[in-house]
């Protein structure tokens, strides 16, 4: 898929494709970048309290990564998913 095609997908679809591809290919680098991006995306989406909690709990970040394709968080992370999927057109 090219970037135009990716832009048409929902945040949930982008999340699912990117995370599924990363897990299937053992791309811990992407998963780590995603985990590091979640607190900033939560802050950008207006959830400052969750940002503070996530910064102090790695387990919360892991849980968030698996569900980070929904709602305002999913929308805030769209650029992360699009950039990753554009690098991996077979995802």
């Amino acid at each position: 898929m090219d970037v135009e095609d990716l832009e048409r997908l929902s945040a949930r679809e982008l999340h699912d494709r990117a995370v599924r591809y990363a897990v299937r290919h053992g791309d811990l680098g992407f998963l780590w970048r995603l985990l590091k991006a979640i607190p900033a995306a939560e802050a950008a989406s207006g959830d400052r309290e969750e940002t503070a909690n996530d910064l102090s709990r790695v387990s919360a970040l892991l849980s968030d990564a698996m569900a980070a394709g929904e709602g305002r968080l999913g929308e805030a992370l769209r650029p992360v998913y699009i950039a990753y999927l554009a690098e991996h057109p077979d995802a």
Side-chain angles (χ1 to χ4, degrees):
M1 296 185 98
D2 63 20
V3 174
E4 260 183 43
D5 293 329
L6 293 171
E7 290 284 357
R8 287 194 219 54
L9 298 177
S10 70
R12 168 49 69 188
E13 291 170 312
L14 291 168
H15 166 270
D16 290 351
R17 285 180 84 106
V19 170
R20 187 173 34 246
Y21 183 87
V23 168
R24 196 170 52 237
H25 290 88
D27 190 347
L28 297 178
F30 170 74
L31 295 172
W32 183 244
R33 284 195 314 272
L34 176 60
L35 291 175
K36 291 190 318 186
I38 287 172
E42 285 176 334
S45 67
D47 199 345
R48 297 192 192 290
E49 183 176 321
E50 186 65 21
T51 301
N53 292 337
D54 280 353
L55 290 172
S56 65
R57 297 184 330 240
V58 173
S59 63
L61 287 175
L62 292 171
S63 175
D64 283 351
M66 298 317 293
E70 298 180 15
R72 294 180 311 191
L73 177 58
E75 291 302 321
L77 289 168
R78 285 178 62 83
V80 175
Y81 300 133
I82 289 171
Y84 181 72
L85 291 167
E87 291 174 20
H88 304 281
D90 58 330

